[in-house]
Amino acid sequence: MSLTSAAHQLVTLAAEGGEHGGNHPSLNPYIVGGGAFIGLMLLLWITTRFNRDR
């Protein structure tokens, strides 16, 4: 598969899916955003625990 044919397939796929908005109906943005925030806060807490000056 050449680069140009792969690019053409991706453009065709994006054009077909553009009319639906791209979001799954069961995805709630508040839950997804809240989960991402909690995950990032957990990673920040873990990082600060390992980065203590002793």
Side-chain angles (χ1 to χ4, degrees):
M1 177 181 288
S2 68
L3 182 61
T4 55
S5 66
H8 177 68
Q9 287 179 349
L10 285 175
V11 169
T12 306
L13 181 64
E16 290 174 358
E19 61 194 31
H20 299 296
N23 293 333
H24 195 273
S26 68
L27 289 177
N28 185 345
Y30 294 111
I31 293 175
V32 173
F37 179 75
I38 290 171
L40 288 172
M41 289 297 109
L42 178 64
L43 288 173
L44 179 64
W45 181 79
I46 291 170
T47 302
T48 56
R49 295 303 106 195
F50 281 114
N51 197 22
R52 287 186 178 176
D53 290 331
R54 295 174 192 234

